[in-house]
Amino acid sequence: MASVNVPDGLRYTKDHEWAKNEAGKVRVGVTAFAVEQLGDITLVELPKVGTKVEAGKTFGTVESVKTLSDLYAPLSGTVVAVNDDLASHPEYVNDGAYDKGWMVVIEASDASQLDALLDPEAYKKHLAESDH
Amino acid sequence: MSTLKHASPGLQFDEQSIFERGAPGRNAASLPKLDVPAVDVAGRLGGLARKASAALPEVAEPEVVRHFTRLSQWNYSIDTNFYPLGSCTMKHNPRVNEWAARLPGFGSAHPYAPARGIQGALELMARLRTILAEICGMDDVSLQPAAGAQGELTGLMMIRAHFAKLGRSPRKVIIPETAHGTNPASCAVNGLSAVPLPRSAGGVVEIGEVAKVLEEHAGDIAAIMITNPNTLGLFERNLPEIAKLVHEKGGLVYGDGANLNALMGRARPGDLGIDVMQFNLHKTFTTPHGGGGPGSGPVAFKSFLTPYQPTPVVVKRAGANGEAHYELDDDRPDTVGRVRSFVGNFGMMVRAYAYLREMGPDGLKQATDLAVLNANYLAAIVKEFLPIAFDETCMHEAIFSDKDVKKATGVQTLDLAKRMIDYGFHPPTVYFPLVVSGAMMMEPTETESKQTIDWFANALRAIVEEAKLDPETVKKAPHHTRIGRLDEARAARKPVLRWSPNHEG
């Protein structure tokens, strides 16, 4: 899976979400690998600003022509921003998983949670081991 | 495209909508002269009267007949070719079923007819219940649910009613990832929440996994919903132990009977520990399926759930003259109520009954054996060129992955499926179950011949070869259809759900 884009500077979950530290707040989306597995994305359902999310629990869903998948929060905290563009442009996730396809920004209840997530090397290793 | 002897050029879909046919003023009706006083419609209806025309099609009878006949010719059905959709059990619908369903006493029975006028129909229902209960090792059956998923819904309603009677209200249902896709939805509609059980390495539910979840949600587990064989085509060999454990912890066992075609006559869900289950008459018992419906999803249950079954229930009673007769009994205080109008999809009950009587016990066993044999035969061929998800004896269906061909050529499951259409075959079920990456799920059923299975497997082999030599052709398939590859993403993102005169088709 060497061809799949796993940018440096981000943290990852085994469920294929990425998390980016932005001065204490954490931007979250799904990885290029997740997008490749999902195919064309047709609907993204996200929580409202102010929603409390819990690490490892679902915070939304993403639907593609192939399947419907849950989105799992990489860390606990409160949603402080939501990418509203995805409601009318779900294809942004296909076009830019790491930029315009971002999903939510979470204010972490404890910023050290990020350290517990996979670093790029560990995530690449996870992808290789999953043998997809 | 290679020249396979038994492949035909693809499916053909191209027919204007009926609204685009005909001409103003043309019609297919010939009404008699008005011989009653004319009515002032607008005066009677006031503001409700239609001001503009309803824009109904204005077509002559030949145009109507040709339109719908063309559509029917361009359709793909079990009556035209092999339908390998895994998990769907698309088997032949015997014509004797249709004969039986059209007998005037069945076909012309009025839904509001009093019980004394439809004794034969009620007797058929009573007999069908007895046969279905015997096949699955349960105590009784309600024929009312109109489809498999409604059967699940009804079964879970009965489970809830059972717990309510005991003064309990457990809210969680364990659902293995290898269970049928509708199960979590049936839970949600019942106000229950699904606790997913991840797929084990061996593909079947392991008792330790269930024990862990039971512990974690102690006291709050209403049931486990288990599909046997599961959606990987594997027999849930630990089911009796799992059922015992769930029962010990106060839960019930729901069995999804969608895959009963692999067990019928050979193993009985009731003996394996299941308390309540649904049948899909349109799968296992040869009533029409997939557009030809409607479906029928009877629920079978153990006797402790009898009070909760939907009403009305067909009962046999001795009359004043001592002669037994059938009645519809509504007086069941603990019932979950009615889940379908009248008695359910009665025409499907007649067809299933005809099938069961035509086959008899030995015939049903033979059908099951052939369904499993056919699936294993197909799997043995296909695994020569596509990786099989679980390389062991399968039940009624087998699952393959696109991972090798995708790695080597970039061609994936969707492309292979579309290319099957060019070879004149309906594609298998794709991307389900979710636990197999790029899944292709194939179920030949007992009604396909060895030749048909060979032709299908040969076409699939040819496509996998083609993917290596000319991947672009496969990626752009289908080519031999009126319309090429559809933009499924755009259709889902910006659906146009209804024709309108202003829409440029």
Side-chain angles (χ1 to χ4, degrees), chain B residues 96-336:
Chain B
V96 66
N97 296 359
E98 299 305 315
W99 164 80
R102 283 164 176 72
L103 290 171
F106 296 137
S108 305
H110 195 282
Y112 280 120
R116 64 185 149 75
I118 50 167
Q119 285 293 301
L122 297 180
E123 183 176 349
L124 180 138
M125 291 173 66
R127 286 177 177 224
L128 178 59
R129 268 166 50 195
T130 307
I131 299 174
L132 291 177
E134 186 184 341
I135 289 173
C136 65
M138 307 295 261
D139 295 318
D140 205 349
V141 171
S142 167
L143 299 172
Q144 206 176 92
Q150 200 189 16
E152 291 172 36
L153 178 73
T154 307
L156 288 172
M157 286 165 75
M158 292 169 68
I159 288 176
R160 269 177 55 203
H162 159 77
F163 283 119
K165 192 78 180 174
L166 298 177
R168 292 185 53 207
S169 57
R171 278 284 171 256
K172 300 215 167 79
V173 177
I174 305 172
I175 303 184
E177 283 184 352
T178 48
H180 243 245
T182 44
N183 292 177
S186 299
C187 285
V189 176
N190 261 294
L192 302 166
S193 63
V195 181
L197 203 61
R199 191 199 88 181
S200 70
V204 295
V205 179
E206 298 295 343
I207 189 146
E209 303 280 318
V210 178
K212 218 162 66 188
V213 175
L214 282 169
E215 184 119 335
E216 208 174 308
H217 301 275
D220 201 22
I221 298 290
I224 183 168
M225 278 186 105
I226 200 156
T227 306
N228 190 27
N230 64 28
T231 57
L232 295 170
L234 303 177
F235 187 80
E236 291 288 358
R237 63 179 83 91
N238 305 317
L239 184 52
E241 288 78 25
I242 291 166
K244 188 162 168 273
L245 183 67
V246 172
H247 285 145
E248 279 168 12
K249 302 289 176 187
L252 297 185
V253 182
Y254 184 94
D256 189 311
N259 294 340
L260 192 66
N261 211 39
L263 300 184
M264 179 176 66
R266 287 291 176 197
R268 306 199 311 167
D271 299 339
L272 299 173
I274 283 169
D275 299 302
V276 50
M277 64 173 284
Q278 101 282 353
F279 300 91
N280 298 53
L281 297 188
H282 47 283
K283 293 182 177 182
T284 320
F285 301 103
T286 67
T287 72
H289 188 186
S296 183
V299 175
F301 42 85
K302 295 275 173 69
S303 57
F304 70 94
L305 291 169
T306 300
Y308 314 110
Q309 68 174 310
T311 53
V313 179
V314 176
V315 291
K316 194 174 186 177
R317 288 202 175 118
N321 59 0
E323 215 169 288
H325 66 281
Y326 292 92
E327 285 176 20
L328 286 168
D329 180 18
D330 267 309
D331 187 18
R332 307 251 166 165
D334 291 329
T335 176
V336 298

Side-chain angles (χ1 to χ4, degrees), chain B residues 337-355:
Chain B
R338 180 185 274 291
V339 297
R340 179 75 173 87
S341 51
F342 305 109
V343 295
N345 287 332
F346 176 69
M348 299 304 130
M349 300 171 200
V350 181
R351 288 169 174 87
Y353 182 75
Y355 172 70

